[in-house]
């Protein structure tokens, strides 16, 4: 048996998220289908993060076990030949048998992009949440800073999950206003706000709930983020930001 | 009568180019339709450059005359509300009556992006020409340099045009290898080659024919570019690169 790790990029707009589902087109389902065609056997893929519907990835990681002797690079090209253009394998290599895509990851980085009241360039419209209210960036920055460190993030966890431990450590969180975004070596102007979060793990909807709450704070609609955190109650936090603005950027092993 | 100048961005993938056509969806046709709805009168748009099918724009300019008293910024929002997301008005202002979008432009900048044999990221697949042959970048750079200045570019002009004067001045031409492209504040890896051309005007297919010829030179399939230029014969130059990799970046007035 070989254990192969794939590095993946995808535009999530046309998918019902990562996780395989019987009656929906998903990222995991699409790649597993390609792998099963190539190997001639049902092949199961384990992903590092189960991204939601519409969420994108620049550096998702996923692994599978196979009896096949095909080299990782051959898998890369064969899977890409079978997949639609909005999912790509951008790297492939052998990993140890005891490596686990999810549990071996000690840190992941997500970022979320808000575009604050500007015409939405066709080149970013699939990748931003266009917020039309005036936003107080300083308030968003200060509130974000209060989330750094080890906390119970229950207030930012989707209410319909039954996860036991909602404590996570946020290593890095940043709210960064950007007046231009580089694109193909040129520039796109706009009032962009990029929210970057690195943590040892993420609860369901955690980044989208933090982004939504920070936007609510920016427009003066939410209370003190320390109180929200302390309450450990999803109802205290703000809206869930739409999936389209969210990227899984990197998984650290 | 007011004369209004629009600054436009579009993803050209779903359009049969700029120019209005009776039985095809075009950029000019789509914007004229929106303007005519807003003003209640047939409104004609003059563009700075007639981009081909599939070609994109980061800074196309176009103007129209109207009896309407609506302010430019109101036009901006009204047109955007009627247009699909892949065409956006990103700026609007009054211009003098004798301003002409095409003839008043003294310089335009286009760029073309080649991706040389790497997995094609979903975030750039609509915007690059994926060339699988090994390319000699130095040969491409040296050949490009020979095109700078005032020349008869007839060898790089589409054969089916009846334009009289095929002399143009290329102010700047550059072949730039890039190992990463910035994207949403993150990075996409790949063997990108960006070809930038600024000139006082462009013949039909000129940038695509130059890009195609440079790629032919890079793979050792075309002769000396000075000879090609001197021949003043379209058959001497290389292939026409596909529209998808081409961007109209900027029009100078």
């Amino acid at each position: 048996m070989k254990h192969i790790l794939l590095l993946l990029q995808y535009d999530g707009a046309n998918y019902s998220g990562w996780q395989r589902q019987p009656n929906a087109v998903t990222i995991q389902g699409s790649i597993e289908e390609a792998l099963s065609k190539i190997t001639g056997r049902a092949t199961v893929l384990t992903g590092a993060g189960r991204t939601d519907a519409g969420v994108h990835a620049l550096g998702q990681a996923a692994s599978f076990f196979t009896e096949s002797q095909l080299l990782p690079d051959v898998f890369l090209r064969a899977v890409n030949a079978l997949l639609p253009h909005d999912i790509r394998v951008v790297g492939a290599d052998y990993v140890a048998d005891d490596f686990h895509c999810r549990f071996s990851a000690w840190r992941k980085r997500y970022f979320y992009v808000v575009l604050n009241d500007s015409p939405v360039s066709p080149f970013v419209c699939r990748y931003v949440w266009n917020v039309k209210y005036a936003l107080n960036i300083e308030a968003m920055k200060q509130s974000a800073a209060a989330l750094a460190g080890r906390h119970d993030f229950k207030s930012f966890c989707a209410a319909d999950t039954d996860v036991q431990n909602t404590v996570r450590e946020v290593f890095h969180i940043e709210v960064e206003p950007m007046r231009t975004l580089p694109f193909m070596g040129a520039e796109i102007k706009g009032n962009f706000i990029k929210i970057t979060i690195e943590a040892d793990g993420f609860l369901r909807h955690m980044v989208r709930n933090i982004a939504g709450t920070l936007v609510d704070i920016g427009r003066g609609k939410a209370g003190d983020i320390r109180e929200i955190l302390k309450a450990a109650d999803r109802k205290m936090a703000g809206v869930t930001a739409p999936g389209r603005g969210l990227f899984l950027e990197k998984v650290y092993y």
Side-chain angles (χ1 to χ4, degrees), chain A residues 30-245:
Chain A
S30 303
I31 303 174
E32 284 180 346
E33 204 179 299
L35 288 171
S36 302
K37 262 188 205 158
I38 295 163
T39 60
R41 301 202 177 192
T43 306
V44 174
L45 197 61
T46 305
R50 283 170 285 184
T51 53
D52 301 328
V55 173
H56 318 289
L58 280 161
Q60 169 75 291
S63 73
F64 62 98
F65 284 94
T66 182
E67 307 274 2
S68 163
Q69 295 302 311
L70 294 176
L71 292 172
D73 199 51
V74 176
F75 266 109
L76 179 150
R77 277 176 281 150
V79 174
N80 282 342
L82 291 171
L83 284 175
H85 290 291
D86 51 6
I87 307 178
R88 279 299 96 167
V89 182
V90 296
D93 212 343
Y94 292 119
V95 275
D97 281 0
D98 64 352
F99 173 88
H100 191 285
C101 245
R102 188 139 63 97
F103 304 129
S104 301
W106 62 278
R107 188 178 185 136
K108 276 181 259 181
R109 190 198 299 153
Y110 281 89
F111 67 82
Y112 195 97
V113 185
V114 170
L115 176 55
N116 194 10
D117 196 25
S118 311
V120 185
S121 164
F123 305 108
V124 301
C125 67
R126 300 162 73 89
Y127 311 123
V128 298
W129 177 25
N130 189 18
V131 173
K132 315 224 167 181
Y133 309 97
L135 295 177
N136 178 340
I137 305 281
E138 273 316 306
M140 293 172 69
K141 279 189 175 193
Q142 281 167 29
S143 299
L147 297 179
R150 195 166 189 80
H151 302 285
D152 182 349
F153 283 95
K154 194 168 180 203
S155 293
F156 299 98
C157 177
D160 58 347
T161 51
D162 52 1
V163 60
Q164 296 300 313
N165 178 7
T166 50
V167 174
R168 295 291 182 275
E169 183 164 1
V170 170
F171 301 115
H172 176 74
I173 179 163
E174 192 175 2
V175 173
E176 189 185 359
M178 302 172 91
R179 301 305 298 262
T180 59
L181 271 188
F183 174 74
M184 305 305 285
E187 279 190 344
I188 290 170
K189 286 182 191 150
N191 287 317
F192 297 99
I193 302 163
K194 185 176 175 184
I195 302 165
T196 305
I197 309 182
E198 283 185 23
D200 58 355
F202 290 86
L203 302 163
R204 193 162 134 78
H205 292 182
M206 181 167 146
V207 184
R208 293 168 59 195
N209 289 338
I210 289 175
T213 303
L214 289 176
V215 163
D216 276 354
I217 286 167
R219 57 186 279 220
K221 234 194 74 180
D224 188 87
I225 204 155
R226 286 171 197 81
E227 298 298 321
I228 294 170
L229 201 56
K230 210 185 290 169
D233 178 0
R234 174 68 189 93
K235 289 191 292 293
M236 292 292 287
V239 296
T240 304
R244 61 190 305 114

